[in-house]
């Protein structure tokens, strides 16, 4: 079981390394139950949400700001507490996928003690067992092919010699062929024993007294049958050396050593085999020219038949054989074994050089057999300093059977290394290479950066599984610049926005956040992005130019759509509509990147120690200083003198500023993630339309709509030609009441007509020229009639405003109807071209341009001017409505109205007295051109200053009251 223990240790080590790479375990790692963890997780997130919600309510933070911050804090707490809970499950999923591809060496990390952690440990053990079984199976096949090759080659050579007549079929030749067949049979049995050994079973040895000279001579004879072009020389001392071995297995060792020596020796070279008994001094060399007969056993110093002598121990350096052991050495004349490779040659696939060929399994099996006998085999340079190698086998004369190391058959001493994964022939090697490449891409900080944020990454996360291929993982490792920038923009917003009206501070926040997002965008160089950025800056400037409170809302909505369209590269309608939700979902999709970015700061040697020190010191100072200051009057007096004066207004808004900081930083951070990793929204498609096969199936419904529009236009013409009397006789309404009654319906009808056109385009067939002509004619007619409806709606609104006055809402509705009419024109152009991919972006640009023109036109001032002009002509004026207009209308009111009426309007303005706005108490961050002009106009006009009770007695409406 030693091998199993080593494998387990390797697995544990790999798991520990991986876990360390993931950072410290989560706060619930010590809880031993999944149900308890889930309960604590829910309780912790609810507690955090309640604390934040109550803090916001107590500080007067508006609900639109408190709710998203509360949800975000609850998500952050949940992520922090759940850290590490699902890591084993995700890794088991990936490990199962790798196992399906043939890689069983996956390690599932688990830092906890719950049921999931125990399952992960069991999964890892199962993978290790499957890997050992698979390795045994493959190595058995490799060993079979290797071990059967030598005897089969020898038998084939003998048979070819018999067929060619080179060797006569005498008893010696047939006996040699029989010996080869017997060896094949024995090898099959040996390979089965090897398989049993690697599976944990024992392999028996058949130990018998064996003469070493006979064993060596038989092995040399078989090697010569293989017809390798080398000369074999042998020497045994003493000549009658007998040892206790398993002759079949030891013959396999000698055969593998001879085969290895012949393969590495040059043609005509000499392979020398020497054996020496216990206590003998090993021979250092056999000098050139010694004629030792092939297969003969030569005693120490005795003469050989050719008259030459083999030198004794005195002729060279000695290496004595240990007592109770005997030694076998095989020397070749090859290039030798490079330094540092003497152990590797005995591992599976291990080789000393690249010139000898072979599979690298023979010496591994030789070591295994030697260890079965309680001995060893090792590699050395030739002791005479000549090129070549000396493979030395040391065995006990009376072996005590020992179980060899499990890692040797599985790859020698290198098999204990978990990284030494054998190459598979089933295609999993590609998977292994891919995994290694991915791991390198994750851990190499020098990888090519994508965009301004950093190198590519392929880390897996639970959020990745949530979004899947709909929103692939980000291509950056971390984004510290984006994180720091978002926090800085949030801090700027917390500093300049509270206690200030919307103005220069809001523009500064918008510009700084937009610059960070634009710099982070992977599409920042495209023409559409540049155009969107220009429109966004122009629209953002309206918050400084105009004081109307509704205008920034519309500006932020339109800028948001422009930003998301630019960041995602959306062109079609559905991708454009998916852009704003993608910004919201970026807060979730970006969590893996945020976690990695924060993790990169863990190794900072100074940052977090300084932060912890400052936080702990400040906490200790506040707690202990407060206790001692409240408990001792003298100490409290010293503290009062040491503490600086604190702006109470700033202190009272700290909670509001904290909420605003968190909210703005989160919004900007989500936008930067959308810029770094925009989702492939252009791949999103609505369900494929089922086009009708018969044209009348779509033409008849569209024709009905056309007929209704024609009937409406006839009614409009009748009312216009009949005049007021016709309308009153037909409906009992005044003309003004008549035109006001249907304006909202006409606006809805215009939008529904556009929807009808879109549906008809999806279902109408276009395969033939007749189909396309019919589509153009019907939809073109419908579009022209819709333009007439738009014109009618605008005319109705104009008549109504002349009768009952102008309001900002009516101006906005006019603008919206005009924009719908422009969309109808775009649809007509697209119908002519039968291509409308450009329409969504054109519609967005036209809408943004209209809003920009509206803001520059100063709508509240124009509405006030139109109403005052109407008052000058008719004597009718809604003073209560004028009082609801903002500071943009103040210069017109102060200049055009009589002083008493102007005083009533200014006293009842909904935004408070004009004297409380402008550049006075608001400071530079609340500066706004509209409020500044209002303050100047009031100061120049010097209106009557009414008391609150006098202002309440002012008239509400002058003249006839309209609806």
């Amino acid at each position: 079981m030693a091998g199993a223990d080593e494998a387990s240790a390797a697995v544990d080590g790999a798991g520990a390394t991986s876990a360390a790479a993931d950072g410290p375990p989560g706060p619930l790692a010590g809880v031993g139950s999944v149900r308890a963890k889930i309960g604590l997780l829910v309780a912790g997130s609810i507690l955090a949400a309640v604390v934040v919600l109550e803090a916001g309510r107590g500080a007067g933070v508006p609900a639109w700001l408190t709710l998203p911050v509360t949800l975000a804090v609850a998500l952050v707490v949940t992520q922090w507490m759940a850290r590490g809970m699902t890591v084993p499950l995700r890794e088991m999923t990936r490990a199962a996928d790798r196992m399906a591809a043939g890689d069983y060496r996956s390690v599932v990390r688990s830092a906890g003690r719950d049921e999931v952690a125990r399952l992960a440990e069991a999964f890892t053990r199962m993978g290790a067992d499957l890997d050992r079984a698979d390795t045994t199976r493959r190595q058995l096949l490799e060993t079979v092919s290797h071990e059967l090759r030598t005897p089969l080659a020898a038998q084939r050579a003998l048979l070819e010699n018999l067929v060619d007549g080179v060797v006569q079929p005498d008893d010696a030749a047939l006996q040699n062929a029989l010996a080869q067949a017997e060896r094949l049979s024995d090898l099959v049995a040996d390979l089965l024993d090897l398989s049993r050994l690697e599976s944990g079973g024992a392999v028996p040895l058949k130990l018998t007294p064996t003469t070493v000279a006979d064993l060596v001579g038989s092995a040399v004879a078989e090697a010569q049958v293989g017809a390798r072009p080398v000369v074999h020389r042998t020497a045994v001392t003493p000549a009658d050396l007998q040892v206790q071995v398993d002759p079949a297995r030891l013959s396999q060792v000698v055969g593998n050593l001879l085969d290895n020596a012949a393969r590495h020796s040059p043609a005509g070279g000499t392979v020398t085999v020497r054996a020496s008994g216990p206590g003998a001094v090993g021979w250092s060399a056999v000098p050139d020219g010694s004629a030792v007969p092939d297969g003969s056993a030569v005693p120490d110093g005795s003469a050989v038949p050719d008259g030459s002598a083999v030198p004794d121990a005195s002729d060279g350096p000695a290496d004595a054989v240990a007592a109770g052991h005997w030694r076998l050495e095989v020397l070749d004349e090859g290039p030798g074994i490079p330094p540092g490779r003497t152990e590797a040659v005995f591992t599976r696939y291990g080789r000393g050089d690249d010139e000898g060929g072979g599979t690298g399994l023979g010496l591994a099996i030789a070591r295994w057999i030697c260890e079965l006998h309680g001995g060893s085999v090792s590699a050395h340079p030739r002791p005479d300093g000549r090129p070549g190698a000396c493979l030395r086998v040391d065995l006990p004369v009376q072996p005590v059977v020992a179980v060899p190391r499990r890692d040797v058959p599985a790859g020698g001493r290198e098999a204990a290394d978990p990284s030494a994964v054998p190459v598979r022939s089933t295609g999993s090697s590609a998977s292994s290479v891919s995994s290694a490449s991915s791991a390198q891409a994750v851990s190499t900080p020098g990888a090519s950066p994508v965009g301004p944020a950093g190198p590519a990454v392929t880390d897996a996360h639970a959020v990745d599984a949530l979004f899947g291929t709909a929103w692939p993982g980000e291509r950056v490792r971390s984004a510290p610049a984006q994180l720091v920038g978002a926090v800085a923009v949030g801090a700027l917003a917390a500093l300049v926005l509270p206690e200030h009206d919307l103005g220069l501070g809001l523009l500064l926040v918008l510009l700084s956040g937009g610059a960070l997002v634009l710099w982070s965008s992977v599409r920042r160089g495209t023409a559409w992005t540049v155009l969107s950025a220009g429109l966004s800056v122009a629209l953002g400037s309206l918050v400084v130019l105009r004081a109307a409170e509704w205008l920034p809302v519309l500006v932020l909505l339109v800028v948001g759509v422009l930003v998301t369209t630019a960041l995602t590269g959306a062109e079609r309608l559905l991708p454009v509509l998916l852009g704003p939700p993608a910004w919201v979902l970026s807060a979730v999709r970006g969590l893996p990147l945020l976690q990695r970015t924060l993790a990169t700061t863990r190794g900072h040697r100074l940052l977090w120690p300084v932060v912890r020190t400052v936080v702990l010191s400040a906490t200790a100072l506040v707690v202990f200083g407060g206790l001692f200051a409240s408990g001792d009057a003298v100490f409290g007096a010293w503290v009062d003198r040491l503490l600086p004066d604190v702006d109470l207004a700033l202190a009272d808004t700290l909670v509001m500023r904290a909420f605003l900081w968190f909210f703005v930083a989160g919004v900007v951070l989500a936008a930067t993630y959308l810029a770094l990793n925009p989702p492939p929204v252009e791949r999103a498609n609505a369900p494929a339309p089922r086009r009708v096969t018969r044209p009348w199936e779509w033409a008849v419904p569209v024709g009905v709509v056309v007929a209704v529009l024609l009937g409406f236009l006839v009614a409009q013409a009748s009312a216009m030609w009949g005049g007021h009397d016709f309308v009153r006789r037909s409906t009992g309404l005044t003309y003004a009441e008549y035109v006001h009654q249907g304006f909202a319906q006409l606006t809805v009808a215009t939008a529904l007509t556009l929807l009808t056109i879109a549906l008809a385009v999806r279902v109408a067939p276009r395969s033939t020229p007749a189909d396309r002509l019919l589509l153009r004619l019907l939809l073109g007619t419908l579009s022209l009639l819709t333009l007439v409806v738009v014109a009618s709606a605008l005319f109705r609104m104009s008549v109504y405003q002349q009768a009952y006055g102008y309001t900002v809402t009516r101006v906005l509705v006019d603008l919206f109807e005009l924009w719908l009419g422009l969309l109808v024109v775009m649809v007509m152009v697209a119908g002519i071209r039968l291509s409308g991919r450009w329409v969504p972006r054109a519609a967005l640009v036209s809408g943004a341009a209209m809003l920009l023109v509206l803001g520059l036109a100063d709508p509240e001032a124009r509405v006030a001017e139109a109403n005052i002009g109407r008052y000058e002509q008719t004597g009718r004026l809604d003073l209560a409505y004028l009082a609801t207009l903002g500071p943009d209308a103040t210069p017109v009111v102060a200049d055009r109205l009589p002083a008493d009426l102007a005083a009533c309007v200014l006293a009842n303005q909904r935004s408070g007295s004009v004297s409380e706005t402008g550049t006075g108490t608001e400071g530079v961050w609340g500066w706004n051109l509209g409020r500044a002009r209002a303050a100047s106009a009031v100061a120049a006009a010097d209106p009557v200053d009414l008391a609150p009770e006098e202002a309440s007695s002012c008239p509400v409406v002058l003249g006839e009251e309209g609806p």
Side-chain angles (χ1 to χ4, degrees):
M1 298 301 293
D5 294 339
E6 293 175 5
S8 299
V11 168
D12 294 342
T17 303
S18 301
D22 257 10
L28 302 180
V31 180
S33 171
V34 173
R35 288 186 295 180
K37 284 185 176 181
I38 295 176
L40 292 174
L41 182 66
V42 172
S45 58
I46 292 177
L47 179 62
V50 170
V51 170
V52 175
L53 184 62
E54 289 300 319
R57 290 176 57 187
V61 181
W64 65 266
L65 183 58
T66 304
L67 183 60
V69 173
T70 301
L71 292 177
V73 170
L75 286 176
V76 170
V77 172
T78 302
Q79 284 286 321
W80 174 69
M81 296 185 68
R83 190 176 70 241
M85 285 181 60
T86 59
V87 169
L89 297 177
R90 295 198 303 271
E91 293 198 354
M92 277 188 277
T93 302
R94 292 193 295 267
D97 293 337
R98 289 194 292 268
M99 285 183 179
D103 181 8
Y104 302 103
R105 300 194 59 131
S106 300
V107 177
V108 180
R109 297 166 291 179
S110 59
R113 298 185 293 110
D114 57 8
E115 297 87 348
V116 176
R118 292 193 291 272
L119 177 61
E121 294 172 358
F123 192 94
T124 300
R125 290 194 298 270
M126 179 190 71
D129 293 339
L130 290 175
D131 183 66
R132 282 195 294 270
D134 183 68
T135 302
T136 299
R137 176 185 59 81
R138 290 182 293 102
Q139 291 175 349
L140 176 61
L141 294 177
E142 295 159 357
T143 305
V144 167
S145 61
H146 176 273
E147 290 302 311
L148 295 183
R149 182 182 60 182
T150 301
L152 284 176
Q155 197 171 58
R156 177 179 179 179
L158 176 61
L159 294 175
E160 289 177 351
N161 290 338
L162 289 173
V163 172
D164 296 338
V166 177
V167 176
Q168 296 301 320
D170 53 12
D171 292 342
L174 296 177
Q175 185 64 32
N176 199 355
L178 178 60
Q180 294 291 346
E182 291 174 346
R183 184 180 177 189
L184 285 174
S185 177
D186 294 339
L187 279 176
V188 172
D190 292 344
L191 292 173
L192 293 176
D193 291 341
L194 176 60
S195 176
R196 274 202 309 273
L197 172 71
E198 294 180 345
S199 300
V203 177
L205 289 178
K206 299 179 181 178
L207 300 177
T208 58
T210 303
T211 302
V212 175
D214 295 339
L215 181 70
V216 172
S218 175
V220 170
E222 291 184 10
Q224 289 174 336
V225 175
R228 290 189 182 274
V230 294
V231 177
H232 294 86
R233 301 184 184 278
T234 64
V236 180
T237 179
D240 58 349
L241 176 62
Q242 276 198 344
V243 293
Q244 193 84 0
V245 295
D246 186 328
R249 296 194 185 279
L250 203 59
S251 296
Q252 187 178 352
V253 171
V254 179
N256 286 345
L257 296 181
L258 291 175
D259 179 73
N260 179 79
R263 193 165 53 247
H264 290 83
S265 294
T270 301
V271 174
T272 304
V273 183
R274 307 182 308 196
S276 54
V281 177
W283 298 340
S284 61
V286 175
D288 290 340
S290 60
V292 181
D294 291 343
S296 62
V298 183
D300 186 17
S302 61
V304 294
D306 63 355
S308 63
V310 178
D312 58 17
S314 62
D315 294 324
D319 184 8
V321 180
H325 286 68
W326 66 282
R327 175 174 298 169
L328 177 72
E329 294 177 307
V330 178
L331 292 82
D332 60 57
E333 295 181 347
I337 301 175
R341 296 286 299 169
T342 55
E343 283 295 323
V345 295
F346 295 103
T347 63
R348 287 190 182 273
Y349 315 107
R351 299 178 183 177
D353 55 57
D354 297 327
E355 300 177 357
T359 62
L361 293 171
L363 295 183
I365 293 181
R367 164 170 277 185
W368 168 66
I369 295 176
C370 290
E371 291 184 349
L372 279 176
H373 285 78
S376 64
V377 60
S378 56
H380 306 273
R382 288 182 64 109
D384 58 0
R386 296 170 55 191
C390 173
L391 298 181
R392 177 180 299 168
V393 175
D394 287 303
L395 299 175
V397 177
Q398 296 289 337
V400 177
V401 178
V403 178
R405 294 172 301 181
R406 284 286 308 277
D407 59 316
V408 174
R413 297 182 181 178
E414 293 182 350
D417 184 4
S419 63
V421 181
V423 179
R424 302 179 185 274
S425 59
T426 58
S428 63
S429 58
S431 175
S432 301
V433 172
S434 175
S435 300
S437 302
S438 299
Q440 186 178 4
V442 171
S443 60
T444 304
S448 300
V450 180
V457 67
T458 56
D459 285 0
H461 193 276
V463 175
D464 298 329
L466 176 64
F467 286 88
T469 58
W471 196 341
E474 56 276 359
R475 299 176 294 170
V476 293
R477 174 71 183 174
S478 60
Q482 282 73 13
L483 178 59
V484 174
V487 172
V489 174
L492 177 64
L495 178 65
V496 303
L497 294 185
E499 301 298 320
H500 294 93
D501 285 334
L502 301 181
L504 186 60
L506 177 60
L507 178 61
L508 182 61
V509 172
L510 293 177
L511 290 178
S512 57
L516 177 64
V517 173
L518 179 63
W519 174 76
S520 304
S521 175
V522 296
R523 293 188 172 92
R524 61 183 178 276
T526 63
W528 173 249
T529 301
V530 174
L531 175 61
S532 300
L535 283 174
S536 299
V537 172
L539 290 171
S541 65
L542 295 179
V543 302
V544 174
L545 298 178
R546 302 290 172 251
E549 294 184 356
W550 54 267
L551 187 58
V553 177
L554 294 181
V555 166
L556 292 178
L557 290 176
V558 175
V559 167
V561 179
L562 284 172
V563 168
T564 57
T565 306
L567 296 181
T568 60
E571 296 182 18
R572 297 178 293 111
L573 178 59
L574 180 59
V576 170
L577 296 178
L578 291 177
W583 191 345
V584 177
L585 292 176
S586 295
V588 179
R589 188 64 186 90
L591 286 178
L593 180 59
L594 177 60
Q595 290 179 356
R596 289 197 302 271
T597 302
L598 293 175
T600 57
T601 63
R602 293 175 185 166
H604 200 286
R605 297 182 177 179
L606 188 61
L607 176 61
W608 289 114
V610 170
V611 171
R612 286 194 299 268
T613 302
V614 171
V615 171
L616 293 176
S617 301
T619 303
L621 179 62
V622 171
V623 173
F624 289 97
L627 289 174
F628 288 121
S630 61
D632 186 87
V634 176
F635 188 80
W638 291 352
V639 171
D640 290 337
R641 287 194 294 268
L642 290 175
L643 289 179
D645 293 333
V646 180
D647 187 353
L648 296 180
L650 177 64
D652 291 340
T653 61
L654 282 180
V655 176
M656 168 69 79
R657 294 176 189 274
F659 272 80
L660 194 61
W661 187 348
F662 192 93
F663 177 77
V664 174
V667 171
V668 174
L669 191 60
T672 59
Y673 181 83
L674 189 64
L676 289 171
N677 183 37
V681 292
E682 278 298 321
R683 294 193 316 199
N685 292 301
R690 186 182 65 85
R691 298 190 182 276
V692 298
T693 57
R694 292 171 288 273
W696 55 265
E697 294 184 62
W698 72 270
V700 170
V702 173
V704 170
V705 177
V706 171
V708 172
L709 287 178
L710 286 174
F712 169 77
L713 294 181
V714 171
Q716 290 291 292
S718 301
M720 184 176 298
W721 291 333
H724 294 265
D725 293 337
F726 175 80
V727 172
R728 186 174 292 276
R729 287 196 309 268
S730 302
T731 63
L733 301 174
T734 65
Y735 195 81
E737 294 172 342
Y738 165 72
V739 296
H740 174 262
Q741 187 181 37
F743 181 82
Q745 291 86 338
L746 293 183
T747 303
V748 174
T750 304
L752 289 178
T753 302
L754 289 173
L755 179 61
T756 301
I757 294 174
L759 292 175
V761 170
R762 284 182 61 83
V763 302
R766 287 183 263 176
S767 57
T768 65
D771 292 336
R772 293 190 289 272
L773 179 60
L774 179 61
L775 181 65
R776 287 191 176 101
L777 287 177
L778 272 180
L779 296 187
T781 303
L782 182 59
S783 299
L784 288 175
L785 294 176
T786 305
L787 287 179
V788 177
V789 171
V790 171
S792 174
L794 294 176
F795 174 74
R796 282 169 173 256
M797 179 56 71
S798 176
V799 172
Y800 183 78
Q801 288 175 335
Q802 291 175 4
Y804 298 109
Y806 297 85
T807 66
V808 173
T809 302
R810 294 164 188 169
V811 172
L812 292 178
V813 173
D814 270 343
L815 191 66
F816 180 70
E817 185 69 24
L818 186 62
W819 182 65
L820 288 179
L822 183 59
L823 289 185
V824 174
V825 175
M826 294 180 186
V827 169
M828 294 176 63
V829 176
I832 296 174
R833 301 176 55 187
L834 287 180
S835 174
R837 190 179 184 90
W838 55 274
V839 172
R841 284 188 173 182
L844 180 58
V845 170
S846 63
M850 284 185 173
L851 180 60
L852 179 61
V853 172
L854 176 68
L856 294 176
D858 200 354
E860 291 196 346
R862 301 286 78 80
V863 167
E865 186 174 354
N867 282 314
I868 294 174
R870 177 173 168 270
Y871 165 72
E872 293 172 348
Q873 295 177 359
T874 65
R876 290 179 295 187
L877 180 64
D878 189 345
L879 293 176
Y881 177 74
L882 282 183
T884 63
L885 297 177
D888 290 331
T890 298
V892 177
V893 172
D895 181 58
R896 297 281 301 272
L897 279 180
D900 55 339
L901 296 180
C904 288
V905 172
L906 296 180
N908 290 291
Q909 274 190 335
R910 62 188 176 96
S911 58
S913 176
V914 176
S915 61
E916 295 177 0
T917 62
T919 58
T921 59
E922 287 301 313
V924 66
W925 303 124
W927 185 86
N928 177 276
L929 179 61
R931 287 191 292 272
R933 292 173 57 188
S936 300
V938 171
D942 192 19
V944 179
D945 189 10
L946 297 180
E949 58 274 6
E950 295 175 327
S952 61
S953 62
C954 289
V956 177
V957 177
L958 299 178
E960 182 182 356
E961 183 178 358

